Amino acid sequence: MGANPLLGVVFHWMGGFASASFYVPYRGIRRWNWEILWLTGGLFSWLFAPWLFAWLQTSDLPGVLGQVPRSIVGWCVFFGMLWGFGGLTYGLTMRYLGLSLGMAVVLGLCTVFGTLIPPIFQGDFGEKLLVGTSGHMILLGLLVTLAGIAVVAMAGARKDSALTEAQKTAVVAEFDFRKGILVATFSGVMSACFAFGLAAGEPIKALSAAAGTGPLWTGLPTLCLVMFGGLVTNAIWCAILILRNGSAPQWFGGSAARLDADAQRGEGHAPLLRNYLLAALGGTAWYFQFFFYTMGESQMGRFGFSSWTLHMASIIIFGTLWGFAFREWKDAAPRVRAMVWSGVGLLVIATVIIGYGNMLAA
């Protein structure tokens, strides 16, 4: 099966939709502290789903992983742990800035670091991006992506500066622009480490292919290792919060010694079945962003690193759409709404440019 960049773009759009949508089910969880919500959903994101789908789609998964050198395993897990800090603070960004603005800031930084650092580290940045029409097109697509992200972020900043505190908290209950920007900046830089983990796991793809795994699925074993690293980081932090807040009884229908803002908005006892189902849905959606990412990357040919730009652009496109669906932009001036749609339009154009650049090289 040869590379098909246009199909790869579609897969990246599907992954972007999954990523932008994962927090939507979490909004429906009641009477659970954030750490209970995040760890419960995270078990599906970082443990259950990666290993289940890798087991189903990889030929001889234990045999493939058994051949991976320890150094590669270590780097994948290490970068996964660093990425875990980004994922951990990503959820906090949504709480402080909302879906639209939060995603724009986090993913803007994540796009730059996640796309450019791997080829720079591998020493072929100039060869891939500065030579030939295909490389130039991909570089243009990256620049258009950053322009689109900047436009969306500026629109979010203008929207928020024009709102009263009451209006801000009406759509984002814990809105805090300053705190949110600081958290989002840290999250964006750390989140880019996922791309580094995938780059470190490139040799695993060859082992998986040699075992008979289809080309669309060779990246799934690497996800198991990188996401395990993310699980370690998130589990440690959530465990600290669980001990501090005494929130473990919430898993069984009890109450916590200290309720955070999300839990306080609920009434009565926690609807356990509903909460578990929503956490499982949200957590699995989080995983599917990378499930489709590996499928998309397999179709991008020698410019596979550009997949990270496509992934980030797709997340912001769908994240902005969710922001409108949740009426985060209802009080924004018409010109501000026009600005954010212009940013989304630039991101769509960027995905087409990058797909075309990859097609030229296919």
Side-chain angles (χ1 to χ4, degrees):
M1 180 178 178
N4 185 341
L6 294 183
L7 178 61
V9 170
V10 173
F11 285 142
H12 284 305
W13 279 346
M14 295 171 69
F17 176 75
S19 178
S21 303
F22 91 94
Y23 207 76
V24 175
Y26 287 177
R27 294 167 65 104
I29 293 177
R30 296 290 179 265
R31 302 296 294 175
W32 270 8
N33 274 29
W34 178 85
E35 62 270 16
I36 298 297
L37 172 159
W38 193 251
L39 184 55
T40 304
L43 288 173
F44 288 89
S45 302
W46 311 309
L47 186 63
F48 301 150
W51 286 95
L52 172 62
F53 286 99
W55 182 272
L56 292 175
Q57 299 296 341
T58 303
S59 297
D60 188 21
L61 178 62
V64 169
L65 292 178
Q67 300 177 62
V68 180
R70 291 184 179 180
S71 61
I72 292 178
V73 173
W75 280 115
C76 288
V77 174
F78 173 73
F79 283 124
M81 292 176 68
L82 294 182
W83 164 73
F85 286 108
L88 189 64
T89 49
Y90 186 74
L92 294 177
T93 302
M94 299 302 103
R95 294 172 67 178
Y96 295 140
L97 295 181
L99 281 168
S100 301
L101 181 57
M103 284 187 177
V105 177
V106 171
L107 302 182
L109 292 167
C110 191
T111 299
V112 174
F113 284 93
T115 301
L116 298 183
I117 295 300
I120 291 175
F121 180 78
Q122 293 166 0
D124 54 7
F125 175 84
E127 175 187 344
K128 287 185 174 179
L129 288 175
L130 302 181
V131 178
T133 303
S134 56
H136 293 160
M137 291 297 294
I138 291 172
L139 185 59
L140 174 62
L142 173 60
L143 295 176
V144 175
T145 298
L146 295 178
I149 292 171
V151 171
V152 172
M154 286 190 295
R158 291 187 180 184
K159 176 202 71 170
D160 295 325
S161 65
L163 299 180
T164 65
E165 290 301 317
Q167 288 174 320
K168 293 175 183 178
T169 55
V171 292
V172 183
E174 296 178 76
F175 183 87
D176 188 321
F177 184 80
R178 184 174 181 180
K179 183 186 294 185
I181 289 295
L182 291 174
V183 173
T185 300
F186 178 82
S187 178
V189 174
M190 289 294 101
S191 294
C193 290
F194 198 94
F196 308 160
L198 294 179
E202 278 293 320
I204 302 176
K205 290 184 179 180
L207 294 173
S208 185
T213 304
L216 286 177
W217 320 114
T218 55
L220 296 184
T222 304
L223 291 183
C224 294
L225 300 177
V226 178
M227 288 189 162
F228 177 77
L231 172 62
V232 171
T233 302
N234 282 268
I236 290 174
W237 177 242
C238 287
I240 293 172
L241 293 180
I242 288 170
L243 292 174
R244 179 188 301 171
N245 297 328
S247 51
Q250 291 180 344
W251 272 316
F252 311 102
S255 60
R258 295 169 56 186
L259 294 179
D260 65 14
D262 285 341
Q264 290 171 6
R265 285 197 296 274
E267 296 181 359
H269 295 289
L272 283 185
L273 179 60
R274 169 193 168 108
N275 283 1
Y276 278 114
L277 289 176
L278 289 174
L281 178 60
T284 304
W286 174 271
Y287 164 75
F288 269 119
Q289 66 171 309
F290 295 115
F291 179 82
F292 288 116
Y293 177 92
T294 58
M295 294 173 65
E297 186 183 33
S298 72
Q299 300 301 302
M300 305 313 287
R302 61 187 292 260
F303 293 102
F305 68 92
S306 65
S307 291
W308 195 252
T309 303
L310 290 170
H311 185 60
M312 296 296 108
S314 300
I315 294 173
I316 297 176
I317 290 170
F318 291 107
T320 302
L321 294 178
W322 276 119
F324 274 92
F326 286 117
R327 300 174 63 82
E328 292 181 0
W329 297 86
K330 68 182 180 66
D331 294 315
R335 67 177 180 276
V336 175
R337 290 197 295 270
M339 179 183 290
V340 75
W341 284 118
S342 297
V344 170
L346 285 172
L347 292 171
V348 173
I349 293 172
T351 63
V352 175
I353 292 173
I354 293 172
Y356 178 67
N358 279 274
M359 188 171 64
L360 290 177

